[in-house]
Amino acid sequence: MTDFQQTYGPWAVVTGASAGIGRACADDLAQRGLSLVLVARRDDRLQTLADDLAARHGTEARAVAADLATPEGLDAIEAATADLDVGLLVAAAGFGTSGRFVEADLGPELTMLDVNCRAVVRQAHHFGRRFATRGRGGLVLFGSIVGFQGTPFSAHYAATKAFIQTLAEGLHLELASAGVDVISSAPGPVATEFAEVADMQMGATVNPAQVARATLDGLGKRGTVYPGLLTKVLSGSLALLPRWGRARVMQQVMGGMTQHQRG
């Protein structure tokens, strides 16, 4: 048994597991020997992933099709894990929007708030309490480099990630004495379905597997990780600027990624 298994095993919950960073985290955890509860809306993808992980790594996996924007979806996760010794939550579910905020359809913006923030708070509270009682465990939350300053043309998405970053930083210290490790992963652009859903045109990106490995390797060692060389370069260059200066730079960056929306 590896140290990672001993600390966080035998079961991990991974939300957003059907694609992108969530799928990469599920694969990485399977390699580390953990059994998995895979959560996403698309049941067919979850079943395919569960079968694939079992074939390649011998991993036991349960698929839970759930919409995290709804109380019923969150209820389903808690019910499906009630009989399991869960020691790790990877809250990778989330999506983004882009463009001028006042021109956006409010419905998707509120759904994003529910998935990116409300669902994470409920899961962190539920599993964090279980882990504290257990005396060991880990919470993996996903922020973004856009969450460290205001980001025009993605203002609300960036605000949801600022919320997650602040939550993770507080819980990292608050839960340490209970034996619970908390980390925020703050990647830059990642090669996932995110850009298509958010209607952005990205250039250079980080591979999801890099994000997963760096994030899980950092758990228990640091409070925030900036996965991938591209992320480190981008976050490092922004860190040299005052907050208002970072917002100005992000205005130019996001303006370029969303220029096609304005013709």
Side-chain angles (χ1 to χ4, degrees):
M1 179 179 291
T2 66
D3 290 342
F4 198 92
Q5 278 180 284
Q6 187 171 9
T7 302
Y8 304 112
W11 284 87
V13 175
V14 182
T15 69
S18 63
I21 295 172
R23 185 183 181 98
C25 286
D27 189 76
D28 195 294
L29 289 170
Q31 293 180 53
R32 296 173 193 251
L34 274 70
S35 297
L36 300 169
V37 177
L38 307 171
V39 181
R41 290 180 302 168
R42 294 171 286 195
D43 185 59
D44 56 338
R45 286 199 181 189
L46 291 178
Q47 294 296 340
T48 299
L49 177 59
D51 293 342
D52 176 63
L53 295 177
R56 290 191 293 117
H57 306 299
T59 300
E60 182 179 357
R62 295 185 183 183
V64 179
D67 183 352
L68 301 190
T70 67
E72 294 78 13
L74 296 168
D75 289 343
I77 298 171
E78 293 176 12
T81 58
D83 64 330
L84 301 177
D85 183 14
V86 176
L88 182 64
L89 169 69
V90 179
F95 70 95
T97 59
S98 69
R100 296 184 186 278
F101 177 71
V102 295
E103 297 173 0
D105 181 349
L106 186 59
E109 298 295 328
L110 294 177
T111 299
M112 180 175 66
L113 186 63
D114 285 336
V115 174
N116 290 12
C117 297
R118 186 187 295 271
V120 175
V121 167
R122 177 165 162 179
Q123 292 170 87
H125 182 268
H126 175 77
F127 288 105
R129 178 177 285 182
R130 284 182 60 174
F131 300 163
T133 300
R134 185 175 183 256
R136 60 190 176 96
L139 299 174
V140 179
L141 310 184
F142 282 88
S144 168
I145 62 170
V146 303
F148 293 94
Q149 67 285 305
T151 302
F153 305 114
S154 193
H156 184 207
Y157 171 70
T160 69
K161 292 305 176 181
F163 178 94
I164 294 300
Q165 181 64 36
T166 302
L167 177 66
E169 288 176 359
L171 294 181
H172 173 72
L173 297 176
E174 185 178 321
L175 293 177
S177 61
V180 182
D181 297 325
V182 183
I183 193 169
S184 170
S185 181
V190 185
T192 67
E193 298 173 350
F194 176 89
E196 181 180 354
V197 173
D199 193 20
M200 297 179 189
Q201 294 180 344
M202 292 183 180
T205 56
V206 179
N207 187 286
Q210 289 180 285
V211 176
R213 178 52 58 90
T215 301
L216 295 172
D217 283 349
L219 184 62
K221 301 180 180 70
R222 56 186 65 90
T224 300
V225 64
Y226 303 89
L229 179 60
L230 175 63
T231 301
K232 289 180 174 60
V233 170
L234 292 174
S235 60
S237 60
L238 287 170
L240 299 175
L241 301 173
R243 191 176 179 94
W244 66 263
R246 299 199 302 269
R248 289 288 189 181
V249 170
M250 293 308 298
Q251 181 177 26
Q252 296 301 313
V253 172
M254 288 303 305
M257 289 185 180
T258 59
Q259 181 61 44
H260 64 285
Q261 298 179 13
R262 297 182 291 279

